[in-house]
Amino acid sequence: MCRVLDLSLKFPLDPQKSIESLGGSESIYYNMLSKFEPMSLISGLEDMAKAVNDKDWAQVKGKAHSLKGASGYIGAGGVHYACYHIQELFLREDYDEMIQYYPSLVEESIKFRIYSRKLIA
């Protein structure tokens, strides 16, 4: 079983929960937030798209695992939970259902990108 964080899904980001987990440091949080997209999200989604096309389920799970952790640190609940489900379904060897979460991950990533830019601005 995979570990999942308790993040709000009311908005694409739950900054308060993440800031609390960082000991209240808003500066660390916003520094991490500004680096998540270029360092983790974009490359993770690109690599996952290739793995989906290749039907390399272990690689899909590996990328989901990496994104799940990084998105959890910054409070991107939708991205975090989509990755959690991908990872869990891989462990159950239910690849058909696993791949059904991929469009949700893309959608949640788009919501994150829009919302995070507003939050950072």
Side-chain angles (χ1 to χ4, degrees), residues 37-67:
E37 186 177 330
M39 292 181 69
S40 298
L41 184 65
I42 300 301
S43 62
L45 289 174
E46 288 172 350
D47 292 345
M48 192 180 291
K50 182 180 180 332
V52 167
N53 289 335
D54 294 344
K55 296 184 180 2
D56 184 346
W57 307 133
Q59 183 76 341
V60 172
K61 189 276 276 180
K63 294 303 173 183
H65 176 74
S66 295
L67 277 176

Side-chain angles (χ1 to χ4, degrees), residues 5-115:
L5 299 175
D6 180 24
L7 298 169
S8 172
L9 293 175
K10 185 174 181 180
F11 299 104
L13 276 170
D14 186 355
Q16 194 57 40
K17 183 90 161 185
S18 296
I19 291 169
E20 288 170 13
S21 73
L22 292 168
S25 178
E26 288 186 23
S27 63
I28 291 174
Y29 173 76
Y30 284 102
N31 187 26
M32 289 171 56
L33 178 61
S34 68
K35 293 179 180 178
F36 171 70
E37 186 177 330
M39 292 181 69
S40 298
L41 184 65
I42 300 301
S43 62
L45 289 174
E46 288 172 350
D47 292 345
M48 192 180 291
K50 182 180 180 332
V52 167
N53 289 335
D54 294 344
K55 296 184 180 2
D56 184 346
W57 307 133
Q59 183 76 341
V60 172
K61 189 276 276 180
K63 294 303 173 183
H65 176 74
S66 295
L67 277 176
K68 180 176 65 91
S71 61
Y73 280 117
I74 60 157
V79 173
H80 183 74
Y81 291 130
C83 290
Y84 165 78
H85 288 294
I86 290 170
Q87 192 174 359
E88 272 292 306
L89 290 163
F90 173 84
L91 295 174
R92 293 184 201 158
E93 298 180 4
D94 189 347
Y95 308 122
D96 291 333
E97 190 173 343
M98 179 186 88
I99 203 62
Q100 291 178 19
Y101 274 93
Y102 177 70
S104 296
L105 172 59
V106 173
E107 184 178 317
E108 292 299 329
S109 297
I110 292 167
K111 290 178 188 176
F112 161 79
R113 291 182 75 188
I114 293 166
Y115 191 83

